[in-house]
Amino acid sequence: MFDLRSFSLEHWEEIDSTNSEALRKIARGEVDRPLAISATSQTNGRGSRERVWASHSGNVHVTYLLPVLDARREAFLVVYPLALATSRTIREMTGLGSRVTLKWPNDVLIDGKKVSGALHEVGWLNGRAILAAGIGVNVGWSPRLADAVFPPTALSEVVHELPDCREIVTQLGAAILSEIASWLEKGFESVRERYHAESYLLNSRISIVDRVPGTTPVEGVYRGIDPEGALQLETESGISKHYSVDVFPSLATLS
């Protein structure tokens, strides 16, 4: 499904956005194998849903390009192995163990605070898809967002010896290839089991908001992901499935 040869590495001291550069390379026909584009800083970092990603030097800003060899319908499930690879890398390089968790679908938390986020995009050239998996990790710095439900944190706030950003990029790349290969070999059920073991707020009450403007929040119990990758929310009406929502703890969970 994906080209899982080792990543070639390309590093910039400063760039507008590693994801933007990745999509430009795809458009120019310059991507014929896995490639990791990292940068010390970004001048126009992009997060999910057109949000700005604060891109300070001393943090990890990287986009992993993976050519898609077989564009099957279930290829979008790769978001979960990518999330597991990120949490695994942070856990292995910090020794923080179970303090590292995953908020649906791919935010990595430490003690309930966001240390990593992702923006995954797909570029096309001559009918061929290439995944651009953008990942940011707050290593030495995090923005101050007083009203954030999941406030940002950085590794510097929780560990004394900080891993080197370039080493994180290399180890994360290896973890991504390993997690995708494991998924393709063992099937998605093994991914679900591990994802649930790391899921923040699993079996707790949450509030979800559809990403369509004007929708009303819905509360229920978070029951993990189903075999097709949908978030499962249990309410009095039963279990509903959701693919594009924002997740928050309910007031009952916070109290």
Side-chain angles (χ1 to χ4, degrees):
M1 192 184 300
F2 294 95
D3 185 338
L4 297 182
R5 290 177 291 173
S6 60
F7 288 101
S8 299
L9 302 177
E10 176 179 304
H11 183 75
W12 296 66
E13 282 304 308
E14 182 179 273
I15 199 170
D16 58 344
S17 158
T18 59
N19 262 43
S20 295
E21 175 62 14
L23 295 178
R24 289 192 291 264
K25 282 185 175 294
I26 294 171
R28 294 194 298 260
E30 297 176 0
V31 181
D32 59 3
R33 60 164 299 135
L35 170 67
I37 303 171
S38 64
T40 301
S41 64
Q42 299 179 119
T43 58
N44 190 29
R46 297 188 290 118
S48 61
R49 297 176 296 287
E50 301 184 359
R51 294 169 180 163
V52 174
W53 181 266
S55 305
H56 200 283
S57 61
N59 289 346
V60 168
H61 319 102
V62 60
T63 299
Y64 296 94
L65 286 156
L66 277 171
V68 179
L69 303 178
D70 179 7
R72 297 182 229 162
R73 181 182 61 83
E74 62 268 28
F76 80 94
L77 295 174
V78 72
V79 63
Y80 297 107
L82 289 169
L84 288 170
T86 308
S87 64
R88 165 183 159 185
T89 299
I90 292 172
R91 192 177 295 109
E92 290 177 349
M93 299 191 79
T94 62
L96 291 174
S98 60
R99 293 170 65 186
V100 181
T101 55
L102 289 166
K103 182 182 81 69
W104 190 87
N106 52 19
D107 285 345
V108 182
L109 310 180
I110 295 177
D111 300 331
K113 298 179 179 180
K114 183 174 176 176
V115 72
S116 174
L119 172 62
H120 302 326
E121 301 178 290
V122 175
W124 294 85
L125 181 66
N126 299 325
R128 182 185 179 208
I130 300 176
L131 172 67
I135 299 173
V137 182
N138 296 333
V139 179
W141 177 88
S142 65
R144 291 293 170 258
L145 301 174
D147 60 345
V149 177
F150 299 96
T153 190
L155 298 184
S156 61
E157 298 175 28
V158 290
V159 296
H160 296 296
E161 295 186 13
L162 290 179
D164 178 76
C165 290
R166 300 286 285 274
E167 291 179 7
I168 294 176
V169 168
T170 300
Q171 188 161 329
L172 177 54
I176 286 172
L177 298 177
S178 171
E179 292 292 345
I180 294 177
S182 177
W183 161 42
L184 298 179
E185 176 186 354
K186 299 177 181 178
F188 188 62
E189 186 58 31
S190 66
V191 174
R192 288 181 69 218
E193 290 177 1
R194 292 184 51 223
Y195 187 86
H196 288 162
E198 298 186 24
S199 289
Y200 189 70
L201 298 175
L202 183 68
N203 298 322
S204 298
R205 290 195 66 81
I206 63 171
S207 176
I208 64 170
V209 181
D210 199 289
R211 291 170 186 168
V212 177
T215 54
T216 303
V218 178
E219 283 203 8
V221 177
Y222 171 41
R223 297 302 189 194
I225 57 175
D226 76 355
E228 295 182 347
L231 179 148
Q232 299 181 116
L233 187 74
E234 183 177 0
T235 66
E236 293 180 355
S237 302
I239 292 181
S240 55
K241 301 179 181 183
H242 305 270
Y243 292 93
S244 182
V245 294
D246 287 319
V247 175
F248 305 96
S250 73
L251 292 177
T253 300
L254 291 173
S255 62

mmCIF file of all heavy atoms in Angstrom, residues 1-35:
data_model
loop_
_atom_site.group_PDB
_atom_site.id
_atom_site.type_symbol
_atom_site.label_atom_id
_atom_site.label_comp_id
_atom_site.label_asym_id
_atom_site.label_seq_id
_atom_site.Cartn_x
_atom_site.Cartn_y
_atom_site.Cartn_z
ATOM 1 N N MET A 1 0.823 -1.216 0.000
ATOM 2 C CA MET A 1 0.000 0.000 0.000
ATOM 3 C C MET A 1 0.858 1.268 0.000
ATOM 4 O O MET A 1 0.550 2.249 -0.639
ATOM 5 C CB MET A 1 -0.934 -0.003 1.206
ATOM 6 C CG MET A 1 -2.026 1.046 1.168
ATOM 7 S SD MET A 1 -3.043 1.095 2.656
ATOM 8 C CE MET A 1 -3.719 -0.542 2.680
ATOM 9 N N PHE A 2 1.979 1.243 0.779
ATOM 10 C CA PHE A 2 2.893 2.388 0.847
ATOM 11 C C PHE A 2 4.313 1.932 0.532
ATOM 12 O O PHE A 2 4.690 0.781 0.781
ATOM 13 C CB PHE A 2 2.878 3.009 2.252
ATOM 14 C CG PHE A 2 1.570 3.652 2.632
ATOM 15 C CD1 PHE A 2 0.626 2.936 3.345
ATOM 16 C CD2 PHE A 2 1.280 4.957 2.274
ATOM 17 C CE1 PHE A 2 -0.586 3.505 3.698
ATOM 18 C CE2 PHE A 2 0.078 5.536 2.620
ATOM 19 C CZ PHE A 2 -0.869 4.815 3.330
ATOM 20 N N ASP A 3 5.098 2.851 0.002
ATOM 21 C CA ASP A 3 6.520 2.612 -0.207
ATOM 22 C C ASP A 3 7.203 2.740 1.153
ATOM 23 O O ASP A 3 7.258 3.820 1.733
ATOM 24 C CB ASP A 3 7.071 3.659 -1.186
ATOM 25 C CG ASP A 3 8.526 3.421 -1.560
ATOM 26 O OD1 ASP A 3 9.236 2.735 -0.802
ATOM 27 O OD2 ASP A 3 8.963 3.949 -2.602
ATOM 28 N N LEU A 4 7.729 1.633 1.687
ATOM 29 C CA LEU A 4 8.290 1.630 3.038
ATOM 30 C C LEU A 4 9.813 1.524 3.047
ATOM 31 O O LEU A 4 10.409 1.053 4.023
ATOM 32 C CB LEU A 4 7.671 0.490 3.856
ATOM 33 C CG LEU A 4 6.161 0.592 4.094
ATOM 34 C CD1 LEU A 4 5.673 -0.564 4.953
ATOM 35 C CD2 LEU A 4 5.801 1.930 4.730
ATOM 36 N N ARG A 5 10.445 1.994 1.980
ATOM 37 C CA ARG A 5 11.900 2.126 2.037
ATOM 38 C C ARG A 5 12.264 3.222 3.038
ATOM 39 O O ARG A 5 11.448 4.066 3.386
ATOM 40 C CB ARG A 5 12.452 2.463 0.655
ATOM 41 C CG ARG A 5 12.368 1.321 -0.351
ATOM 42 C CD ARG A 5 12.854 1.753 -1.715
ATOM 43 N NE ARG A 5 11.945 2.711 -2.347
ATOM 44 C CZ ARG A 5 12.213 3.352 -3.485
ATOM 45 N NH1 ARG A 5 13.383 3.154 -4.088
ATOM 46 N NH2 ARG A 5 11.332 4.173 -4.030
ATOM 47 N N SER A 6 13.506 3.209 3.519
ATOM 48 C CA SER A 6 13.908 4.191 4.532
ATOM 49 C C SER A 6 13.819 5.614 3.974
ATOM 50 O O SER A 6 13.952 5.842 2.766
ATOM 51 C CB SER A 6 15.323 3.898 5.022
ATOM 52 O OG SER A 6 16.245 3.958 3.943
ATOM 53 N N PHE A 7 13.583 6.573 4.875
ATOM 54 C CA PHE A 7 13.435 7.969 4.479
ATOM 55 C C PHE A 7 14.776 8.603 4.129
ATOM 56 O O PHE A 7 15.757 8.468 4.877
ATOM 57 C CB PHE A 7 12.810 8.790 5.611
ATOM 58 C CG PHE A 7 11.357 8.530 5.844
ATOM 59 C CD1 PHE A 7 10.939 7.712 6.887
ATOM 60 C CD2 PHE A 7 10.397 9.101 5.019
ATOM 61 C CE1 PHE A 7 9.591 7.470 7.109
ATOM 62 C CE2 PHE A 7 9.045 8.869 5.233
ATOM 63 C CZ PHE A 7 8.645 8.045 6.280
ATOM 64 N N SER A 8 14.829 9.299 2.995
ATOM 65 C CA SER A 8 15.904 10.246 2.757
ATOM 66 C C SER A 8 15.593 11.492 3.583
ATOM 67 O O SER A 8 14.426 11.807 3.834
ATOM 68 C CB SER A 8 15.989 10.618 1.273
ATOM 69 O OG SER A 8 16.257 9.483 0.483
ATOM 70 N N LEU A 9 16.616 12.203 4.033
ATOM 71 C CA LEU A 9 16.419 13.347 4.915
ATOM 72 C C LEU A 9 16.827 14.643 4.227
ATOM 73 O O LEU A 9 17.881 14.718 3.580
ATOM 74 C CB LEU A 9 17.228 13.172 6.205
ATOM 75 C CG LEU A 9 16.937 11.911 7.026
ATOM 76 C CD1 LEU A 9 17.867 11.839 8.229
ATOM 77 C CD2 LEU A 9 15.488 11.889 7.488
ATOM 78 N N GLU A 10 15.979 15.655 4.380
ATOM 79 C CA GLU A 10 16.271 16.993 3.860
ATOM 80 C C GLU A 10 15.968 17.995 4.970
ATOM 81 O O GLU A 10 14.862 18.005 5.505
ATOM 82 C CB GLU A 10 15.403 17.284 2.627
ATOM 83 C CG GLU A 10 15.564 18.686 2.074
ATOM 84 C CD GLU A 10 14.699 18.920 0.850
ATOM 85 O OE1 GLU A 10 14.828 18.140 -0.120
ATOM 86 O OE2 GLU A 10 13.884 19.864 0.868
ATOM 87 N N HIS A 11 16.952 18.820 5.324
ATOM 88 C CA HIS A 11 16.751 19.757 6.435
ATOM 89 C C HIS A 11 16.950 21.200 5.981
ATOM 90 O O HIS A 11 17.870 21.509 5.246
ATOM 91 C CB HIS A 11 17.713 19.458 7.583
ATOM 92 C CG HIS A 11 17.500 20.352 8.772
ATOM 93 N ND1 HIS A 11 16.434 20.180 9.639
ATOM 94 C CD2 HIS A 11 18.178 21.441 9.203
ATOM 95 C CE1 HIS A 11 16.487 21.117 10.574
ATOM 96 N NE2 HIS A 11 17.521 21.888 10.330
ATOM 97 N N TRP A 12 16.050 22.052 6.440
ATOM 98 C CA TRP A 12 16.120 23.486 6.193
ATOM 99 C C TRP A 12 16.303 24.211 7.529
ATOM 100 O O TRP A 12 15.719 23.809 8.532
ATOM 101 C CB TRP A 12 14.821 23.999 5.564
ATOM 102 C CG TRP A 12 14.503 23.451 4.220
ATOM 103 C CD1 TRP A 12 14.196 22.158 3.892
ATOM 104 C CD2 TRP A 12 14.437 24.180 2.992
ATOM 105 N NE1 TRP A 12 13.940 22.041 2.550
ATOM 106 C CE2 TRP A 12 14.074 23.268 1.968
ATOM 107 C CE3 TRP A 12 14.635 25.526 2.659
ATOM 108 C CZ2 TRP A 12 13.923 23.656 0.648
ATOM 109 C CZ3 TRP A 12 14.483 25.909 1.344
ATOM 110 C CH2 TRP A 12 14.130 24.987 0.341
ATOM 111 N N GLU A 13 17.091 25.271 7.523
ATOM 112 C CA GLU A 13 17.168 26.092 8.731
ATOM 113 C C GLU A 13 15.866 26.873 8.917
ATOM 114 O O GLU A 13 15.354 26.992 10.019
ATOM 115 C CB GLU A 13 18.367 27.048 8.667
ATOM 116 C CG GLU A 13 19.692 26.378 8.964
ATOM 117 C CD GLU A 13 19.691 25.671 10.319
ATOM 118 O OE1 GLU A 13 19.330 26.326 11.328
ATOM 119 O OE2 GLU A 13 20.039 24.481 10.373
ATOM 120 N N GLU A 14 15.332 27.397 7.807
ATOM 121 C CA GLU A 14 14.056 28.119 7.866
ATOM 122 C C GLU A 14 13.285 27.865 6.579
ATOM 123 O O GLU A 14 13.864 27.808 5.495
ATOM 124 C CB GLU A 14 14.294 29.621 8.042
ATOM 125 C CG GLU A 14 13.011 30.432 8.168
ATOM 126 C CD GLU A 14 13.278 31.917 8.366
ATOM 127 O OE1 GLU A 14 13.453 32.323 9.526
ATOM 128 O OE2 GLU A 14 13.327 32.647 7.353
ATOM 129 N N ILE A 15 11.977 27.704 6.735
ATOM 130 C CA ILE A 15 11.109 27.454 5.580
ATOM 131 C C ILE A 15 9.726 27.978 5.919
ATOM 132 O O ILE A 15 9.414 28.204 7.095
ATOM 133 C CB ILE A 15 11.066 25.935 5.268
ATOM 134 C CG1 ILE A 15 10.582 25.663 3.846
ATOM 135 C CG2 ILE A 15 10.216 25.197 6.292
ATOM 136 C CD1 ILE A 15 10.746 24.219 3.415
ATOM 137 N N ASP A 16 8.910 28.206 4.910
ATOM 138 C CA ASP A 16 7.554 28.659 5.228
ATOM 139 C C ASP A 16 6.780 27.567 5.952
ATOM 140 O O ASP A 16 6.187 27.774 7.012
ATOM 141 C CB ASP A 16 6.814 29.144 3.975
ATOM 142 C CG ASP A 16 6.715 28.083 2.880
ATOM 143 O OD1 ASP A 16 7.454 27.072 2.929
ATOM 144 O OD2 ASP A 16 5.895 28.268 1.957
ATOM 145 N N SER A 17 6.780 26.351 5.389
ATOM 146 C CA SER A 17 6.066 25.219 5.974
ATOM 147 C C SER A 17 6.618 23.946 5.354
ATOM 148 O O SER A 17 6.741 23.862 4.124
ATOM 149 C CB SER A 17 4.561 25.344 5.692
ATOM 150 O OG SER A 17 3.913 24.100 5.781
ATOM 151 N N THR A 18 6.942 22.975 6.179
ATOM 152 C CA THR A 18 7.444 21.713 5.618
ATOM 153 C C THR A 18 6.363 21.017 4.796
ATOM 154 O O THR A 18 6.669 20.390 3.774
ATOM 155 C CB THR A 18 7.965 20.777 6.722
ATOM 156 O OG1 THR A 18 6.918 20.501 7.658
ATOM 157 C CG2 THR A 18 9.152 21.394 7.448
ATOM 158 N N ASN A 19 5.100 21.128 5.222
ATOM 159 C CA ASN A 19 4.024 20.535 4.423
ATOM 160 C C ASN A 19 3.878 21.231 3.081
ATOM 161 O O ASN A 19 3.672 20.590 2.047
ATOM 162 C CB ASN A 19 2.697 20.598 5.184
ATOM 163 C CG ASN A 19 2.369 19.288 5.886
ATOM 164 O OD1 ASN A 19 3.246 18.676 6.497
ATOM 165 N ND2 ASN A 19 1.122 18.860 5.815
ATOM 166 N N SER A 20 3.976 22.556 3.079
ATOM 167 C CA SER A 20 3.864 23.296 1.818
ATOM 168 C C SER A 20 4.994 22.917 0.872
ATOM 169 O O SER A 20 4.785 22.729 -0.329
ATOM 170 C CB SER A 20 3.873 24.805 2.088
ATOM 171 O OG SER A 20 2.728 25.183 2.819
ATOM 172 N N GLU A 21 6.216 22.794 1.392
ATOM 173 C CA GLU A 21 7.344 22.389 0.564
ATOM 174 C C GLU A 21 7.133 20.961 0.051
ATOM 175 O O GLU A 21 7.456 20.656 -1.105
ATOM 176 C CB GLU A 21 8.644 22.480 1.352
ATOM 177 C CG GLU A 21 9.877 21.960 0.628
ATOM 178 C CD GLU A 21 10.216 22.727 -0.652
ATOM 179 O OE1 GLU A 21 9.666 23.838 -0.858
ATOM 180 O OE2 GLU A 21 11.025 22.210 -1.446
ATOM 181 N N ALA A 22 6.569 20.099 0.891
ATOM 182 C CA ALA A 22 6.299 18.731 0.456
ATOM 183 C C ALA A 22 5.332 18.711 -0.721
ATOM 184 O O ALA A 22 5.554 18.003 -1.715
ATOM 185 C CB ALA A 22 5.725 17.929 1.625
ATOM 186 N N LEU A 23 4.262 19.499 -0.640
ATOM 187 C CA LEU A 23 3.291 19.529 -1.736
ATOM 188 C C LEU A 23 3.893 20.146 -2.998
ATOM 189 O O LEU A 23 3.568 19.731 -4.110
ATOM 190 C CB LEU A 23 2.048 20.302 -1.295
ATOM 191 C CG LEU A 23 1.249 19.660 -0.149
ATOM 192 C CD1 LEU A 23 0.069 20.549 0.245
ATOM 193 C CD2 LEU A 23 0.751 18.268 -0.532
ATOM 194 N N ARG A 24 4.790 21.115 -2.830
ATOM 195 C CA ARG A 24 5.467 21.686 -4.008
ATOM 196 C C ARG A 24 6.349 20.635 -4.672
ATOM 197 O O ARG A 24 6.399 20.532 -5.910
ATOM 198 C CB ARG A 24 6.299 22.908 -3.598
ATOM 199 C CG ARG A 24 5.474 24.136 -3.219
ATOM 200 C CD ARG A 24 6.328 25.373 -3.102
ATOM 201 N NE ARG A 24 7.237 25.335 -1.960
ATOM 202 C CZ ARG A 24 6.981 25.891 -0.765
ATOM 203 N NH1 ARG A 24 5.835 26.508 -0.546
ATOM 204 N NH2 ARG A 24 7.877 25.843 0.200
ATOM 205 N N LYS A 25 7.060 19.861 -3.871
ATOM 206 C CA LYS A 25 7.916 18.823 -4.440
ATOM 207 C C LYS A 25 7.092 17.780 -5.198
ATOM 208 O O LYS A 25 7.493 17.314 -6.268
ATOM 209 C CB LYS A 25 8.720 18.137 -3.331
ATOM 210 C CG LYS A 25 9.925 18.932 -2.839
ATOM 211 C CD LYS A 25 10.717 18.123 -1.832
ATOM 212 C CE LYS A 25 11.981 18.848 -1.430
ATOM 213 N NZ LYS A 25 12.937 18.987 -2.562
ATOM 214 N N ILE A 26 5.943 17.418 -4.626
ATOM 215 C CA ILE A 26 5.076 16.463 -5.311
ATOM 216 C C ILE A 26 4.640 17.027 -6.665
ATOM 217 O O ILE A 26 4.690 16.335 -7.686
ATOM 218 C CB ILE A 26 3.850 16.131 -4.440
ATOM 219 C CG1 ILE A 26 4.282 15.388 -3.177
ATOM 220 C CG2 ILE A 26 2.837 15.286 -5.233
ATOM 221 C CD1 ILE A 26 3.178 15.204 -2.157
ATOM 222 N N ALA A 27 4.223 18.295 -6.678
ATOM 223 C CA ALA A 27 3.751 18.924 -7.916
ATOM 224 C C ALA A 27 4.847 18.997 -8.972
ATOM 225 O O ALA A 27 4.567 18.932 -10.173
ATOM 226 C CB ALA A 27 3.201 20.315 -7.607
ATOM 227 N N ARG A 28 6.099 19.128 -8.513
ATOM 228 C CA ARG A 28 7.226 19.215 -9.460
ATOM 229 C C ARG A 28 7.726 17.836 -9.881
ATOM 230 O O ARG A 28 8.668 17.740 -10.672
ATOM 231 C CB ARG A 28 8.377 20.007 -8.827
ATOM 232 C CG ARG A 28 8.078 21.469 -8.571
ATOM 233 C CD ARG A 28 9.345 22.252 -8.261
ATOM 234 N NE ARG A 28 10.012 21.788 -7.052
ATOM 235 C CZ ARG A 28 9.926 22.375 -5.857
ATOM 236 N NH1 ARG A 28 9.160 23.457 -5.715
ATOM 237 N NH2 ARG A 28 10.575 21.903 -4.811
ATOM 238 N N GLY A 29 7.140 16.784 -9.342
ATOM 239 C CA GLY A 29 7.561 15.430 -9.697
ATOM 240 C C GLY A 29 8.885 15.024 -9.099
ATOM 241 O O GLY A 29 9.613 14.212 -9.676
ATOM 242 N N GLU A 30 9.200 15.552 -7.902
ATOM 243 C CA GLU A 30 10.507 15.318 -7.289
ATOM 244 C C GLU A 30 10.477 14.243 -6.189
ATOM 245 O O GLU A 30 11.482 14.058 -5.501
ATOM 246 C CB GLU A 30 11.036 16.624 -6.704
ATOM 247 C CG GLU A 30 11.282 17.696 -7.746
ATOM 248 C CD GLU A 30 11.706 19.028 -7.154
ATOM 249 O OE1 GLU A 30 11.813 19.132 -5.912
ATOM 250 O OE2 GLU A 30 11.920 19.972 -7.942
ATOM 251 N N VAL A 31 9.356 13.570 -6.032
ATOM 252 C CA VAL A 31 9.252 12.577 -4.950
ATOM 253 C C VAL A 31 9.040 11.193 -5.563
ATOM 254 O O VAL A 31 7.966 10.886 -6.079
ATOM 255 C CB VAL A 31 8.091 12.921 -3.991
ATOM 256 C CG1 VAL A 31 8.028 11.894 -2.861
ATOM 257 C CG2 VAL A 31 8.249 14.323 -3.433
ATOM 258 N N ASP A 32 10.076 10.377 -5.510
ATOM 259 C CA ASP A 32 9.952 9.021 -6.049
ATOM 260 C C ASP A 32 10.265 7.956 -5.003
ATOM 261 O O ASP A 32 10.336 6.772 -5.319
ATOM 262 C CB ASP A 32 10.857 8.831 -7.263
ATOM 263 C CG ASP A 32 12.330 9.076 -6.950
ATOM 264 O OD1 ASP A 32 12.656 9.350 -5.763
ATOM 265 O OD2 ASP A 32 13.149 8.989 -7.874
ATOM 266 N N ARG A 33 10.449 8.386 -3.737
ATOM 267 C CA ARG A 33 10.712 7.469 -2.647
ATOM 268 C C ARG A 33 10.408 8.205 -1.340
ATOM 269 O O ARG A 33 10.202 9.415 -1.341
ATOM 270 C CB ARG A 33 12.164 6.983 -2.643
ATOM 271 C CG ARG A 33 13.191 8.092 -2.509
ATOM 272 C CD ARG A 33 14.548 7.539 -2.117
ATOM 273 N NE ARG A 33 14.475 6.871 -0.816
ATOM 274 C CZ ARG A 33 15.042 5.676 -0.572
ATOM 275 N NH1 ARG A 33 15.691 5.038 -1.523
ATOM 276 N NH2 ARG A 33 14.946 5.132 0.631
ATOM 277 N N PRO A 34 10.357 7.513 -0.201
ATOM 278 C CA PRO A 34 10.087 8.195 1.063
ATOM 279 C C PRO A 34 11.114 9.289 1.357
ATOM 280 O O PRO A 34 12.317 9.103 1.161
ATOM 281 C CB PRO A 34 10.174 7.058 2.088
ATOM 282 C CG PRO A 34 9.772 5.840 1.328
ATOM 283 C CD PRO A 34 10.369 6.037 -0.035
ATOM 284 N N LEU A 35 10.614 10.425 1.817
ATOM 285 C CA LEU A 35 11.460 11.584 2.080
ATOM 286 C C LEU A 35 10.943 12.302 3.318
ATOM 287 O O LEU A 35 9.734 12.482 3.476
ATOM 288 C CB LEU A 35 11.421 12.539 0.878
ATOM 289 C CG LEU A 35 12.059 13.929 1.065
ATOM 290 C CD1 LEU A 35 13.573 13.797 1.239
ATOM 291 C CD2 LEU A 35 11.725 14.829 -0.130
#
